[in-house]
Amino acid sequence: MTMDVIETIRNRRSIRRYLDRPVEDDKVEQILEAGRWAPSADNLQPWHFIVVRDGVMRQKLAQASGWGKFLKDSPVAIVVLGDPQRSSKYHLADPHNAVMNMILTAYSLGLGSCWVDVRDMSSEQEFKKLLHVPKSMRVICAVAIGYPAEERTGRRRPLSEIVSYETYE
Ligand SMILES: Cc1cc2nc3c(=O)[nH]c(=O)nc-3n(C[C@H](O)[C@H](O)[C@H](O)COP(=O)(O)O)c2cc1C
């Protein structure tokens, strides 16, 4: 990591506008490595990542997604799959850990990213068809990645609202 992990967690924001500047292969590889090292139940690693750079394909994925029209603008999209054959119980949850690692790593490398949900059935079916994903796999999300063309501020509920000590009340 090139940045302190706490600073990275605190300052990363979802970025939906990107510069027309390619993302270097070695940065994409570092992001994939970060996904690979995510924790998973029983260390089953029930995930697969499809790196999409092709503009025509990104345009099609953007159309197929409900809330990810900006996938057509981000130079890279990483589509994250879950594999129920590897883990019947955690094939949806564990890939989320990989996504968190990837978006934090993207930020620490100076890149912007945004998580794009693909869990509604019609988007998922369309993604599967476009990317030749086996029937048995699930599409979890797409991560749009590129050099940021916007700055965003964050907003979170205060700790006093979301934390209690020893018991709930
Ligand atoms: C499970 C999940 C699904 C998300 N899906 C989308 C999405 O489809 N489109 C989008 O623009 N942002 C999506 N986001 C990004 C959230 O909107 C964003 O993380 C949230 O508003 C907080 O903003 P921040 O990431 O800038 O702190 C998703 C985030 C998560 C964790």
Side-chain angles (χ1 to χ4, degrees):
M1 287 259 180
T2 55
M3 207 185 271
D4 172 67
V5 73
I6 294 173
E7 191 190 340
T8 306
I9 289 169
R10 174 64 188 81
N11 294 333
R12 179 215 55 83
R13 296 278 73 82
S14 293
I15 296 299
R16 300 177 180 86
R17 290 173 199 274
Y18 310 93
L19 298 179
D20 185 14
R21 173 180 165 189
V23 177
E24 298 84 345
D25 286 344
D26 69 299
K27 290 198 172 181
V28 173
E29 194 163 327
Q30 286 183 73
I31 291 167
L32 294 166
E33 268 294 316
R36 186 167 84 91
W37 280 99
S40 61
D42 267 339
N43 200 17
L44 291 173
Q45 306 164 52
W47 47 57
H48 186 92
F49 312 124
I50 305 177
V51 180
V52 182
R53 285 185 182 271
D54 181 72
V56 175
M57 180 61 87
R58 281 189 293 97
Q59 179 99 36
K60 289 179 182 170
L61 297 178
Q63 263 164 16
S65 83
W67 301 98
K69 300 304 176 200
F70 45 84
L71 282 169
K72 69 177 182 347
D73 307 319
S74 66
V76 179
I78 300 180
V79 179
V80 177
L81 311 179
D83 187 350
Q85 290 178 330
R86 278 193 172 270
S87 174
S88 57
K89 201 167 166 191
Y90 291 101
H91 65 277
L92 298 177
D94 283 339
H96 286 75
N97 304 334
V99 177
M100 272 312 308
N101 277 9
M102 291 197 280
I103 63 177
L104 290 172
T105 300
Y107 178 67
S108 79
L109 295 172
L111 295 160
S113 71
C114 189
W115 193 314
V116 175
D117 201 20
V118 187
R119 281 175 308 171
D120 77 87
M121 270 306 160
S122 70
S123 298
E124 180 173 4
Q125 288 317 318
E126 195 58 28
F127 268 58
K128 283 175 91 162
K129 212 174 351 158
L130 288 166
L131 298 167
H132 305 159
V133 174
K135 266 203 177 74
S136 61
M137 306 275 278
R138 298 296 308 271
V139 182
I140 308 292
C141 67
V143 184
I145 298 168
Y147 283 94
E150 64 174 348
E151 274 184 29
R152 297 181 61 87
T153 51
R155 189 169 45 83
R156 289 297 188 271
R157 296 163 63 195
L159 281 183
S160 58
E161 201 178 301
I162 59 172
V163 179
S164 47
Y165 293 93
E166 315 306 341
T167 61
Y168 187 89
E169 284 183 320

